Amino acid sequence: MLKDHSQLKLSLSPYQGIYDAVIPANHLLRKIKENIDFSFVNPMLCKQYCENFGRPAKEPEMMFKLLFLKKLYDLSDETLISNAQTDMAYKFFLELEPEAKMIDPSLLTKFRKTRITEDILEEMLKETIQQALDKGLIKSGTIIVDSTHTTASVRAKSPTQILRDMSKQLRKEIYKNAYELSERFPEKPSLEAGLDEEIAYTKELLLFLSEEIENCGNQKIQKIAQEMEELLETEQIRELRSKADKDARFGHKSASSTFYGYKNHLAMTEEGVIAGISVTNGAAPDGQELPKLIEKAQKNGIKVTEVIGDMAYVSDDNLEVCGKEISLIARTNTAVAAAANGNLEEGFCFNKDAGMLQCPAGELSTRVERRSAKNGNTYLRYIFSKVKCRKCPQRENCHVGKSNAKVRSYSMTQVSEKNLERLKFEESDYFQERIKIRHRIEEKNGELKEAHGLRKADSRGLFAMHLQMYFTAFTANIKRIVRLKELAMA
C-alpha cells in the first residue's frame, strides 16, 4: 500500500540545519536536487502498488533516488545503504532527516524485481529528455548512434559442460538423499563425448528416474530434474553458454577478440543526452537496431533530422528507413556496401568491429579475398573455417556449411551503381564536417563503463541488463542536464 508522503517533506528535525553547514553549494547532489524534478516518480510507479491494502510501502521516490545514487557512485546495495546512513549529502538528496535510519539493502532488490517494468524504464528515460527539452537544453535534431558491450556476470561454458554439470549435481543429490535411486543410473559418457552424446545421456538419466524423482519427495532433486528437462526442451540449447544466464551470447570486439554478454545500443543527442536505448545479446548486429533507436528517440520528443554513426549503420534497409527526411552521416566501407547489396541470406551480417562477415551461428569468416569474374565484375569471397562449419549445429540450413567444396566460402558482388551517389555524398564538405562529432558517443560509452559500472553486468538475464542500462543512462542524463544548465548560465 502506498502512503501519502506529501507532508513528510516538511521535516521538524532539530538537526535540519546541519545540511546547510556541511554540504557546499557546489556539491553535485545539491545541484541535482536544485535542478532536477523527481516528483514524476510517485505517479509513474503508483500503478505498481495496491491502493488500499497491505503494509505501508517505502516511498517510491526515495527508493528510486537510492537506485540513482547506486549508479551515480557505482556502489553495491550494501555499500550504498551503509554510506547513506552516515553521509549527510546522501540524506539531503533523499530528503530524509539527518538522524533517520536507512532501509535494509534487501528492499532494493525487492523494489527492482517487483516495481520496475520495461514500460517504466522507458518512461523514466523519457522524463529526463523532457526535462532537458523544457529547459531548452536540446536544440538540434541530430542523434549519434553506437553500441557498447557489457560482459555477463557469469563465466561462459560449452553446452556439453553445462549439461554435464547439471547431471553431476543431480547424481550428487541422489547419492546424498535418495541413495537407492543411484542403482538406476545409466552409464556416463566419456569426458571426450560431444554434445549429442551428452544430450542422449541426460535424457536417458531423466527417463530412467522420472517416476522415482516425482515420488521421492525431495524438492531439491525435483527442482534440478525440472531445470534439466526445461533445458533439453529449449531450441537454443546448442547456443547456450550458461544455465544461470540464458540470454547472454558471444559477440566480437575485433577479428581476434570476443566477449560474452550483451550489447547496449544508444542514440545520443548532439548535446550529450541519451535519447534512445536498445538492449540485445552480444551477437546482435549494430545496424539492425537503427530503426528502433530512431523510433525511440522520436517517441521521447526528439525531432530526428540527422543520424551520425559508424560504418555498421550503412545498409539499404537503414537508408530506406531514413529516407529523405533524415540524413545518415556514416561512412560506407566497401565490404559493408558489398554486403548491403549482395542480398545476404537471412542470418548473415557484416561485423564492423571485426571487419568480417558473420554467419547465422555467430562465427566470423577467417579472411576475405577480392576476385574478378569473367564478366568483368569484382566480388568479395569470405572464407570460413571448415572445421567449425563441420561441427556447426546449423550446417544443414546454411549453404556455407553444406558445401562440398574444399573451402567454405560466401561470395558477393561489390559496390553497385546505386551506391555511387551515396559515396559521392560521403566526399562532400558537409559530410566531412558532421562526421567529426561522432567521437562524442565514444566518450559517453567510456563514461558509462568507467564511472557507472556498465563494463560488467550487475545481475543475470536480459531484463536485468535492461534495468542496469536504463538506470545508468538515466544517471548520465541527469548529470549532463545539470552540466548543460551550468554552461547555459555561464
Side-chain angles (χ1 to χ4, degrees):
M1 183 175 70
L2 201 57
K3 295 189 295 184
D4 179 10
H5 292 263
S6 58
Q7 297 302 317
L8 298 184
K9 303 296 181 184
L10 302 175
S11 173
L12 299 178
S13 169
Y15 308 107
Q16 199 73 14
I18 196 173
Y19 291 145
D20 294 329
V22 302
I23 305 172
N26 64 348
H27 193 285
L28 178 59
L29 291 181
R30 183 181 285 278
K31 290 191 287 187
I32 290 174
K33 189 172 184 296
E34 291 171 353
N35 289 282
I36 303 299
D37 181 12
F38 282 87
S39 64
F40 69 91
V41 176
N42 285 355
M44 183 177 72
L45 286 173
C46 67
K47 58 186 177 184
Q48 299 298 106
Y49 294 82
C50 180
E51 187 176 352
N52 300 312
F53 299 99
R55 294 175 60 188
K58 296 295 181 182
E59 185 185 19
E61 184 177 327
M62 186 194 75
M63 299 296 289
F64 196 89
K65 285 183 174 181
L66 281 168
L67 293 182
F68 168 80
L69 290 172
K70 174 183 171 68
K71 283 297 152 200
L72 182 64
Y73 296 111
D74 190 20
L75 304 172
S76 67
D77 290 354
E78 291 75 14
T79 304
L80 168 66
I81 298 304
S82 176
N83 290 357
Q85 183 61 54
T86 56
D87 194 312
M88 291 298 102
Y90 282 32
K91 285 190 173 178
F92 172 73
F93 175 71
L94 295 169
E95 300 188 65
L96 297 174
E97 300 88 349
E99 71 275 21
K101 296 292 184 183
M102 290 306 302
I103 63 169
D104 189 275
S106 63
L107 286 180
L108 289 172
T109 301
K110 182 177 180 181
F111 181 77
R112 283 190 294 263
K113 289 185 174 181
T114 62
R115 309 302 186 192
I116 306 295
T117 64
E118 288 193 27
D119 289 343
I120 286 175
L121 293 175
E122 291 289 353
E123 288 182 47
M124 173 185 78
L125 184 68
K126 184 176 182 179
E127 178 63 31
T128 64
I129 300 161
Q130 191 58 54
Q131 290 199 30
L133 288 169
D134 292 343
K135 291 176 170 61
L137 302 177
I138 299 178
K139 298 179 174 63
S140 75
T142 298
I143 59 171
I144 311 172
V145 294
D146 196 15
S147 71
T148 186
H149 70 274
T150 298
T151 305
S153 61
V154 297
R155 183 169 63 89
K157 297 181 179 180
S158 68
T160 304
Q161 190 60 50
I162 293 171
L163 283 175
R164 190 171 291 162
D165 289 347
M166 294 186 74
S167 58
K168 180 180 179 180
Q169 187 182 9
L170 179 63
R171 292 194 305 269
K172 183 178 179 180
E173 287 300 322
I174 288 176
Y175 277 128
K176 286 170 57 178
N177 302 296
Y179 184 80
E180 65 280 1
L181 299 185
S182 64
E183 298 177 358
R184 297 178 60 84
F185 288 165
E187 184 179 353
K188 292 187 293 183
S190 66
L191 292 177
E192 292 75 27
L195 179 58
D196 290 333
E197 290 181 73
E198 201 64 44
I199 289 175
Y201 167 74
T202 307
K203 288 181 177 179
E204 187 179 12
L205 178 65
L206 293 173
L207 180 63
F208 284 3
L209 300 175
S210 59
E211 187 173 341
E212 286 82 355
I213 289 175
E214 188 177 343
N215 298 327
C216 73
N218 188 294
Q219 293 185 355
K220 192 167 185 179
I221 292 175
Q222 291 171 345
K223 182 180 179 181
I224 296 171
Q226 183 180 355
E227 288 177 353
M228 292 171 69
E229 289 175 355
E230 291 174 354
L231 189 60
L232 290 170
E233 290 173 1
T234 178
E235 295 180 357
Q236 281 114 8
I237 186 171
R238 296 180 184 275
E239 302 175 19
L240 204 61
R241 293 296 179 269
S242 169
K243 72 181 182 70
D245 192 341
K246 298 179 181 179
D247 298 321
R249 292 290 183 272
F250 275 106
H252 299 276
K253 292 188 285 187
S254 68
S256 58
S257 63
T258 61
F259 70 94
Y260 179 67
Y262 299 91
K263 272 187 179 180
N264 304 295
H265 307 265
L266 307 179
M268 184 186 80
T269 69
E270 190 172 353
E271 295 81 7
V273 178
I274 298 172
I277 298 171
S278 177
V279 181
T280 65
N281 64 60
D286 294 2
Q288 292 182 8
E289 299 303 309
L290 181 60
K292 191 181 297 183
L293 290 174
I294 292 174
E295 181 182 358
K296 287 190 173 185
Q298 290 171 332
K299 284 183 177 180
N300 288 337
I302 307 299
K303 297 177 181 178
V304 181
T305 58
E306 183 180 62
V307 175
I308 301 176
D310 58 29
M311 63 180 66
Y313 297 96
V314 180
S315 69
D316 283 355
D317 289 342
N318 286 343
L319 289 169
E320 186 176 341
V321 167
C322 292
K324 296 181 179 179
E325 293 78 20
I326 301 175
S327 179
L328 179 58
I329 308 296
R331 298 189 189 281
T332 303
N333 181 285
T334 53
V336 179
N341 299 319
N343 296 320
L344 289 179
E345 289 189 15
E346 185 177 357
F348 283 88
C349 64
F350 186 82
N351 188 294
K352 57 96 178 178
D353 294 315
M356 289 291 177
L357 197 68
Q358 181 175 310
C359 76
E363 295 293 342
L364 292 177
S365 55
T366 57
R367 68 181 191 274
V368 58
E369 299 175 351
R370 192 184 304 274
R371 298 202 170 189
S372 297
K374 292 181 180 180
N375 60 7
N377 288 337
T378 301
Y379 67 93
L380 298 176
R381 188 186 188 210
Y382 288 90
I383 312 300
F384 288 85
S385 168
K386 186 164 64 173
V387 174
K388 290 182 178 179
C389 283
R390 194 183 298 127
K391 295 180 179 180
C392 179
Q394 300 185 39
R395 63 184 180 276
E396 295 300 326
N397 299 318
C398 171
H399 86 271
V400 172
K402 290 192 296 184
S403 173
N404 294 321
K406 292 182 180 180
V407 177
R408 301 292 195 270
S409 65
Y410 193 110
S411 300
M412 61 189 71
T413 305
Q414 262 203 296
V415 187
S416 64
E417 287 293 328
K418 65 180 179 180
N419 287 95
L420 293 178
E421 185 178 346
R422 172 71 195 177
L423 294 175
K424 186 177 180 181
F425 167 65
E426 292 175 19
E427 294 174 358
S428 67
D429 292 340
Y430 174 78
F431 181 95
Q432 299 295 334
E433 191 64 30
R434 295 303 292 162
I435 197 69
K436 290 179 181 179
I437 68 170
R438 200 194 74 80
H439 70 91
R440 295 181 187 177
I441 198 164
E442 299 284 358
E443 295 167 357
K444 180 65 67 174
N445 288 337
E447 177 191 348
L448 299 179
K449 285 187 171 185
E450 300 302 327
H452 304 301
L454 195 63
R455 187 171 295 280
K456 187 173 182 180
D458 290 342
S459 191
R460 303 165 182 175
L462 190 60
F463 177 71
M465 191 65 247
H466 269 92
L467 193 71
Q468 181 179 352
M469 179 63 240
Y470 273 83
F471 264 98
T472 304
F474 177 85
T475 301
N477 278 359
I478 294 300
K479 285 172 56 183
R480 187 60 184 162
I481 290 171
V482 171
R483 179 59 180 157
L484 289 173
K485 189 77 179 294
E486 291 178 339
L487 292 173
M489 295 176 65

